[in-house]
């Protein structure tokens, strides 16, 4: 096995989830870019276990009871359409004659129930690319800070939902030249 050192950030893509994960080539387009990111991306996986044991600690049984996966990233380039992806109650309208996009956010009755394929790609020409794909939605809300000396970055946290009949939360793909027939 080759030792790899992973350096750098990557690209973040999205597509509405319709029941299947698209091929990498299909989702990795400028049209599907959620935005250029700042601060990188972080994938968190958290298992929860239940442990049953006798009072003396002689007999122990541990089982996995829950799993949680969250993909976090700071989105530096965005527009109103991005906000609608980050907010389940976001509604976008566009006035083409005035060139104005309006996003209305709020009202639980406006929740659209949409989930998205969130696809992060770390390009590495030396050691090979890494791809992380989840299906989920931003459940952390967002804040927009407008400061005189700093770019506005939206911190998104996409909580993973099962993406297939096996309950898969994370699809991690890496290129490894040592894999052969």
């Amino acid at each position: 096995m080759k030792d790899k050192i992973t350096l750098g950030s990557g690209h973040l893509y999205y597509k509405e989830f319709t029941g299947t994960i698209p091929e990498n080539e299909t989702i990795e387009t400028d049209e599907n870019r959620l935005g250029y990111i700042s601060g990188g991306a972080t994938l968190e996986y958290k298992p929860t276990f239940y442990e049953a044991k006798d009072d003396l600690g002689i007999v122990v049984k541990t089982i996995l009871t829950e799993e949680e996966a969250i993909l976090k990233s700071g989105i530096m380039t965005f527009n109103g359409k991005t906000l609608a992806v980050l907010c389940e109650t976001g509604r976008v309208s566009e006035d083409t004659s005035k060139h104005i996009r309006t996003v209305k956010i709020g009202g639980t009755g406006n929740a659209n129930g949409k989930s998205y394929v969130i696809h992060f790609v770390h390009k590495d020409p030396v050691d090979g690319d890494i791809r992380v794909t989840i299906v989920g939605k931003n459940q952390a809300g967002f804040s927009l800070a407008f400061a005189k000396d700093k770019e506005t970055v939206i911190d998104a946290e996409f909580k993973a939902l099962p993406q297939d009949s096996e309950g898969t939360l994370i699809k991690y793909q890496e290129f490894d030249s040592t894999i052969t027939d």
Side-chain angles (χ1 to χ4, degrees):
M1 176 150 179
K2 184 176 169 185
D3 292 328
K4 293 182 181 183
I5 298 175
T6 304
L7 295 173
S9 187
H11 301 279
L12 191 61
Y13 302 94
Y14 81 102
K15 196 158 187 61
E16 187 175 341
F17 183 61
T18 58
T20 58
I21 305 291
E23 295 296 322
N24 294 337
E25 301 77 31
T26 301
I27 196 166
E28 294 172 18
T29 66
D30 287 339
E31 177 183 305
N32 296 327
R33 185 184 314 276
L34 188 56
Y36 285 94
I37 63 178
S38 176
T42 302
L43 176 66
E44 296 178 355
Y45 170 78
K46 180 182 168 190
T48 302
F49 293 92
Y50 174 75
E51 182 176 87
K53 64 180 172 179
D54 72 296
D55 291 345
L56 301 175
I58 297 170
V59 179
V60 178
K61 183 173 185 175
T62 305
I63 60 168
L64 176 67
T65 58
E66 291 182 35
E67 297 175 294
E68 181 178 75
I70 296 176
L71 182 62
K72 298 179 181 182
S73 185
I75 302 168
M76 187 175 72
T77 59
F78 61 91
N79 61 31
K81 291 179 181 180
T82 311
L83 297 178
V85 172
L86 298 176
C87 179
E88 194 169 348
T89 61
R91 288 117 35 227
V92 178
S93 62
E94 295 179 337
D95 184 330
T96 55
S97 64
K98 294 181 181 177
H99 305 287
I100 294 176
R101 178 179 298 121
T102 302
V103 183
K104 292 183 178 181
I105 297 171
T108 57
N110 295 308
N112 60 28
K114 291 180 181 178
S115 297
Y116 296 92
V117 175
I118 307 299
H119 185 76
F120 175 79
V121 181
H122 168 77
K123 296 281 188 177
D124 188 331
V126 175
D127 290 328
D129 299 345
I130 295 173
R131 289 173 169 81
V132 174
T133 306
I134 68 165
V135 170
K137 54 180 79 176
N138 179 38
Q139 293 188 2
F142 62 84
S143 62
L144 297 174
F146 300 94
K148 69 177 183 173
D149 59 350
K150 186 162 177 32
E151 64 276 6
T152 300
V153 176
I154 301 172
D155 293 322
E157 293 185 15
F158 295 95
K159 185 171 181 181
L161 302 168
Q163 56 186 264
D164 58 25
S165 62
E166 296 176 328
T168 303
L169 296 178
I170 302 166
K171 183 168 110 177
Y172 175 92
Q173 295 176 304
E174 64 183 356
F175 173 80
D176 187 335
S177 61
T178 65
I179 298 173
T180 61
D181 290 340

